[in-house]
Amino acid sequence: MEKYNGTIRVGLGETVITPRENLQLWGFARSQVATGTHDDLHARSMVIEDVNGNTVCIISLSLVYIGRPLVERIREEVTRKTGIPGDAILISCTHTHSGPHIVEGPESYRELVLEQTVKSVTDAWESRFPARIGIEPTEVLELGRNRRRLLYGGVHPDPQVALIRIEDTDGKLRGVLFNYGCHPSSLDWQNRLYSEDWPYYAIKYLHEELGEDVWLSYLQSAQGDINTGYSSELSAVGVDMPVRTYWYIKVKGRQMSDAVTKAIPSVATVDNLTVDAVTGRFDFPLRKEFPVTLDEAAHDAAAADEKLTAMEADPKLAGTRKLDYIRFEHFSAHQRHEFAKKFYAEDFPEIENIELQALRIGDAVFFSLPGEVFSEIALEVKQKSPYRKTYAAGVTNGFFGYMPTAADFIEGDYEVDGCKYSPAAGQVLVDSSLELIGRLK
């Protein structure tokens, strides 16, 4: 690749990936079909070419997740058209619950996502400009909550926001990427419009503050136990909560935009950094035991059916929290039964071989998370990393479900009952991520 007089070059791309038809929405295990679009879904890409001609690429997709086959197809096409190595292409999904079910949706939509994502990257590649880049953290304290600790205050274990500031060599701001761990799932099952959820408003307000011509992107971090402040169990049974509205996600988006707007002017930039990328495959242990037998799970599900039927027939319980919690117990019993069927099947595997990835941009590192990893696990990697600036990219390069901490397996509940990992998987992720980060040049 051509060197650019000792100055890095950056390209920024954005394309629309909103379906052209109303598809089944994804999230909350629901079956609702979209009725329209509130705001478009996007593929947003950043390409960074260093002073030696090495390149890394970060892609953010406004989708719940994409399967591994589509990850590989996107990488292959991007490499074919730009020469960027597949190992240097990181593909993260924001995990919006107001997006389409891409895995079980029509092939035509997967082709649209492939085409538009590749276009996002090639647009970025073809529009590279001499640039300066800076990466620094800030915090936003009230946006995300630990949804498993709401009765204890719900404080986010890791409220850090990583900021990537891109400007041209004249000092004009050209782009900002913000990286933070929180489910974009505030809009509940009643919403039937495509939406990026709270990141849409964060980006909308940032455009108002920083300029409409500034490229903006949200990169998901560790969000397995983090949302905007509601119970995942009550959400799963469709309880109406006042925080599950467009009004509330405007508040959440404003919290992020205010934090970014305040911090971004102080992010110092340089024009001569280098980049690197590594990937590796690691074996993750899956469950070897389940808290109930298959017969016990079936019995508990049947008993929950009887209890719910009786309680719903009692007019005194209508509209009460007691009935909400009984519905939650019913949901949990059936969730355990469904997973018990998978666990006790003869073909339940012992390990899952998963690709992990780490990108270095100057003195900062971004490491990948293979799904919905709990924030405490990623935080341990960040704290033990040899790089002071170490950040996580969540729901990346495919999807492998929830990964709770070992302590959370003792407590159980929603994320654990449907989890295929062993309690030891979190430590494997910590050790493997640190090993991979250690390979960076």
Side-chain angles (χ1 to χ4, degrees), residues 412-428:
D413 287 339
Y414 173 71
E415 298 89 351
V416 176
D417 286 345
C419 170
K420 64 184 178 182
Y421 288 111
S422 156
Q427 191 59 52
V428 172

Side-chain angles (χ1 to χ4, degrees), residues 21-233:
E21 56 190 311
N22 292 330
L23 304 178
Q24 180 185 337
L25 294 167
W26 210 359
F28 320 117
R30 64 181 177 176
S31 59
Q32 291 93 341
V33 173
T35 58
T37 299
H38 176 272
D39 54 273
D40 277 320
L41 312 177
H42 293 87
R44 297 181 171 101
S45 303
M46 172 185 289
V47 171
I48 303 171
E49 181 185 15
D50 73 9
V51 295
N52 299 315
N54 300 313
T55 306
V56 295
C57 174
I58 297 175
I59 303 170
S60 176
L61 302 178
S62 305
L63 295 168
V64 171
Y65 67 81
I66 61 174
R68 185 67 190 182
L70 186 52
V71 169
E72 293 172 352
R73 291 184 66 195
I74 291 171
R75 282 176 164 175
E76 289 169 0
E77 279 298 296
V78 168
T79 299
R80 185 177 68 83
K81 292 191 174 186
T82 68
I84 302 173
D87 286 356
I89 302 168
L90 182 151
I91 306 172
S92 172
C93 291
T94 68
H95 203 68
T96 176
H97 278 35
S98 296
H101 199 318
I102 184 171
V103 173
E104 295 185 6
E107 180 63 25
S108 59
Y109 182 62
R110 287 188 289 278
E111 291 298 318
L112 182 146
V113 171
L114 171 66
E115 173 187 325
Q116 290 296 91
T117 302
V118 173
K119 184 178 187 302
S120 172
V121 181
T122 56
D123 286 351
W125 177 255
E126 293 168 0
S127 63
R128 286 166 295 158
F129 57 92
R132 298 177 61 88
I133 187 169
I135 304 176
E136 294 289 348
T138 187
E139 286 187 336
V140 57
L141 297 177
E142 298 298 326
L143 200 169
R145 297 282 184 179
N146 187 328
R147 66 191 190 185
R148 293 175 62 87
R149 300 289 183 270
L150 293 177
L151 293 178
Y152 299 85
V155 176
H156 196 318
D158 184 17
Q160 189 177 69
V161 180
L163 299 176
I164 302 182
R165 175 188 175 116
I166 303 294
E167 58 188 20
D168 61 27
T169 51
D170 293 325
K172 176 179 171 57
L173 183 65
R174 298 288 296 272
V176 174
L177 179 148
F178 56 100
N179 164 240
Y180 177 76
C182 183
H183 269 80
S185 58
S186 295
L187 299 170
D188 67 6
W189 58 274
Q190 298 180 74
N191 173 63
R192 296 180 62 183
L193 301 176
Y194 296 128
S195 175
E196 293 182 334
D197 205 274
W198 68 261
Y200 162 71
Y201 284 104
I203 289 173
K204 171 182 168 64
Y205 296 141
L206 282 169
H207 273 306
E208 293 174 2
E209 294 292 334
L210 303 178
E212 290 297 328
D213 60 340
V214 175
W215 177 92
L216 296 165
S217 181
Y218 168 58
L219 179 66
Q220 183 60 268
S221 184
Q223 46 64 267
D225 51 354
I226 306 297
N227 64 26
T228 55
Y230 57 88
S231 161
S232 55
E233 290 85 2

